[in-house]
């Protein structure tokens, strides 16, 4: 007998819309989770068959997961489809969730893995929005040191800079782009990314270093040869 839960697709779609209206004020607020999982009550109630408790989890996590998936796919339609699949999978699997990690980590692991599988199957590439890239660069000490003598990014030809950044991102592997998205855009610490991807923090740092260096090289080239 299949004890997996099932949530209608239309209901998930409606909940996604509700969740997107509850956007957070800042993308880079601290993401460290407290020792006691704040979602445990909702998880327990969902496991007991209370669908409305899962509704609350969908509304809570839709803004962050939408940002995560969109910045890995660069396509709103794909993102909406993936989010429905992600929450549907989470709902079916939640009775097997034993709390060895926080629900936050668990749902993000599902989202990242499903998106990576999507990208690898379809060969998709994504484009980072310029605002997100700039915000992340401003908080990356090593990256800023490498470009400290240059004019502010906003003073450059934005469309050409966007194109070069996109080209640089498209040269990265799906795994490298996932790490860049989680760290620079989602504001996740190394430790959380490590848990989600099930790799060491050293691996996370090395992937970030490689990706940052590629982006830096493109920006250096653009700075030396700006569009007139």
């Amino acid at each position: 007998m299949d004890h997996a839960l099932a949530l209608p697709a239309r209901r998930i779609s409606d909940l996604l819309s509700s969740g997107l209206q509850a956007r957070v004020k800042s993308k880079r607020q601290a993401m460290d989770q407290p020792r006691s999982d704040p979602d445990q009550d909702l998880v327990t109630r969902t496991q007991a068959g209370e669908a409305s408790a899962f509704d609350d989890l969908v509304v809570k996590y839709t803004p962050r997961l939408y940002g995560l998936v969109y910045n890995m796919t660069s396509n709103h339609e794909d993102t909406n489809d993936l989010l429905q699949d992600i929450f549907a999978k989470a709902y079916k699997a939640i009775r097997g969730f034993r709390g060895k990690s926080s629900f936050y980590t668990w749902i993000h692991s599902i989202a990242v893995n499903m998106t990576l599988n999507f990208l690898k199957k379809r060969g998709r590439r994504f484009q980072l929005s310029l605002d997100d890239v700039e915000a992340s660069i401003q908080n990356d000490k090593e990256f800023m040191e490498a470009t400290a003598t240059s004019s502010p990014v906003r003073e450059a030809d934005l469309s050409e800079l966007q194109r070069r950044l996109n080209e640089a991102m498209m040269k990265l592997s799906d795994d490298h782009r996932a790490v860049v998205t989680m760290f620079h855009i989602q504001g996740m610490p190394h430790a959380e990314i490590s848990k989600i991807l099930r790799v060491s923090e050293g691996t996370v740092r090395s992937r970030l270093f490689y990706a940052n260096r590629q982006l830096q090289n493109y920006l250096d080239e653009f700075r030396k040869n700006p569009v007139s």
Side-chain angles (χ1 to χ4, degrees):
M1 180 177 179
D2 184 3
H3 294 286
L5 301 174
L7 198 65
R10 173 174 286 278
R11 184 171 185 178
I12 291 180
S13 179
D14 292 341
L15 290 169
L16 295 184
S17 297
S18 298
L20 287 174
Q21 294 173 3
R23 289 202 177 270
V24 292
K25 294 182 179 180
S26 172
K27 289 184 179 181
R28 296 197 62 84
Q29 52 186 192
M31 298 313 304
D32 291 318
Q33 297 296 299
R35 289 188 179 180
S36 86
D37 190 344
D39 300 312
Q40 187 55 55
D41 179 61
L42 292 175
V43 170
T44 300
R45 286 159 53 195
T46 301
Q47 291 173 328
E50 187 179 334
S52 62
F54 191 75
D55 293 353
D56 292 339
L57 289 170
V58 172
V59 171
K60 176 179 180 179
Y61 281 97
T62 290
R64 283 196 59 80
L65 293 185
Y66 192 97
L68 173 68
V69 176
Y70 177 72
N71 280 288
M72 292 175 68
T73 63
S74 192
N75 185 289
H76 289 294
E77 186 174 337
D78 289 339
T79 299
N80 286 324
D81 290 343
L82 276 166
L83 277 185
Q84 292 199 43
D85 292 342
I86 288 164
F87 283 118
K89 180 174 182 177
Y91 192 76
K92 291 177 182 178
I94 199 166
R95 281 186 174 165
F97 177 68
R98 295 290 177 262
K100 293 182 179 179
S101 66
S102 67
F103 179 81
Y104 171 94
T105 298
W106 186 73
I107 192 68
H108 276 75
S109 295
I110 291 174
V112 170
N113 288 329
M114 289 185 71
T115 304
L116 285 174
N117 288 336
F118 170 82
L119 290 171
K120 289 172 182 177
K121 288 179 180 178
R122 302 292 179 84
R124 299 293 176 86
R125 293 295 182 263
F126 79 99
Q127 299 178 342
L128 292 173
S129 73
L130 184 60
D131 288 339
D132 284 337
V133 173
E134 287 179 347
S136 66
I137 289 175
Q138 291 172 6
N139 289 280
D140 189 321
K141 182 178 179 181
E142 180 180 3
F143 197 99
M144 285 305 294
E145 287 176 350
T147 57
T149 59
S150 67
S151 299
V153 175
R154 286 288 185 186
E155 295 178 10
D157 185 312
L158 297 184
S159 62
E160 178 63 13
L161 177 58
Q162 176 73 78
R163 185 183 71 79
R164 289 175 182 266
L165 284 170
N166 290 338
E167 288 178 354
M169 294 305 299
M170 286 190 288
K171 291 180 181 296
L172 298 177
S173 70
D174 294 331
D175 291 330
H176 282 95
R177 292 200 306 277
V179 172
V180 169
T181 299
M182 285 186 279
F183 182 76
H184 285 306
I185 299 175
Q186 295 278 291
M188 294 183 188
H190 295 138
E192 193 65 46
I193 299 173
S194 172
K195 293 177 185 176
I196 290 170
L197 294 179
R198 297 179 182 178
V199 299
S200 69
E201 288 188 45
T203 296
V204 171
R205 290 191 178 90
S206 68
R207 290 180 184 178
L208 280 170
F209 178 82
Y210 174 82
N212 285 345
R213 186 171 60 182
Q214 292 300 102
L215 289 173
Q216 176 186 316
N217 289 340
Y218 269 71
L219 285 177
D220 285 346
E221 180 183 345
F222 175 71
R223 188 177 69 244
K224 294 174 183 176
N225 302 288
V227 176
S228 57

